[in-house]
Amino acid sequence: MTTASRRIAAQVIEGISAGAGPGLSAIPGVGPIVGPAVAAGLGLVADLVRAGDDAPIVIGRIRRSPEILDRVRAEARWERRLDERWPETERRRTGTQPSMPAVDTEPGPPPDIYLDIDLEDL
Amino acid sequence: MIRLAVLLAALLCAGCGPTAIQTQATAANTIARAANASTASLAETYTLRGEALIDGSSSRNEALALLQAHREQWRPVWAAIDALASAHDLWATSLESGIGSAEAAAALMAAWCDLAEAVRAVGERVPAIVRCGR
């Protein structure tokens, strides 16, 4: 098998793998673990086909927990859910009205950002 | 799921010539994929369970206490994942260096079994790509 044909065969298998994961997970009773696991298994077959005898060694890494948890944003989602369920508590906690912008109580003119307008552009 | 246990056991007994290294590297890469897919699913379950705890609470303080207990319950899972990642890094680096290490591969399998046990303790599971002897 030539390198080109191995690459094409691997791409076909990876195409099947890409469809198999979500497809299997959608079947009632199969569960969310089995779909990705089958996809990973097909990924192995694709890798073996592509590798042949002389492919360079490239190994993916396992993600560590901070990155995993950052991806799902668990703490942020919980905080949001807490605020949705107990908005009164949230207002007492932060001392602000969640839907209203903060009022500028500083004496003197408005901040420079409001004056940074070129009248010729209007 | 394709069982990699037989493959890994064979690799441990095999010499580490170029072909054996390449084959182990392929296995290591696939284990990383399987682990990343599994841990992503675990993290989503972890998050959804936390949301369910909030929904089932009668006060914010009760929800916060339940969430803290939830974090503590899952802490061993995240520790096991980090240990697995470290063991995998060691194995992968040895393979990328063209050396290979049966000890590193064995450590990876032990780490996977530790993860499986930690995950089982929170009522979930990971794919059985390694036979853990239980």
Side-chain angles (χ1 to χ4, degrees), chain B residues 53-130:
Chain B
L53 290 173
I54 294 168
D55 292 343
S57 299
S58 57
S59 71
R60 186 183 185 100
N61 284 342
E62 182 189 349
L64 290 173
L66 289 172
L67 281 177
Q68 189 54 36
H70 179 58
R71 289 187 193 97
E72 294 298 326
Q73 186 188 19
W74 278 70
R75 199 179 300 278
V77 172
W78 309 126
I81 287 171
D82 291 341
L84 176 72
S86 295
H88 186 269
D89 279 353
L90 192 63
W91 187 33
T93 302
S94 74
L95 293 169
E96 287 167 345
S97 306
I99 303 165
S101 167
E103 290 81 7
L108 175 86
M109 285 192 273
W112 186 275
C113 291
D114 289 345
L115 172 63
E117 191 172 331
V119 168
R120 201 179 302 117
V122 296
E124 295 296 319
R125 66 188 185 89
V126 291
I129 65 172
V130 170

Side-chain angles (χ1 to χ4, degrees), chain A residues 73-118:
Chain A
R73 304 181 63 78
E75 296 291 336
R77 282 165 61 180
W78 294 342
E79 194 63 37
R80 194 163 52 246
R81 182 68 66 100
L82 285 166
D83 292 343
E84 286 169 5
R85 285 218 60 198
W86 294 285
E88 292 299 323
T89 312
E90 163 65 10
R91 271 174 231 164
R92 278 203 304 274
R93 192 169 64 84
T94 61
T96 60
Q97 295 287 334
S99 57
M100 295 175 65
V103 178
D104 182 9
T105 58
E106 290 292 319
D112 289 342
I113 189 170
Y114 295 130
L115 301 175
D116 190 19
I117 300 170
D118 190 342

Side-chain angles (χ1 to χ4, degrees), chain A residues 62, chain B residues 4 8 27-36 88 91 108 112 129:
Chain A
I62 294 174
Chain B
L4 293 176
L8 288 171
N29 191 47
T30 303
I31 287 172
R33 285 192 199 179
N36 287 334
H88 186 269
W91 187 33
L108 175 86
W112 186 275
I129 65 172

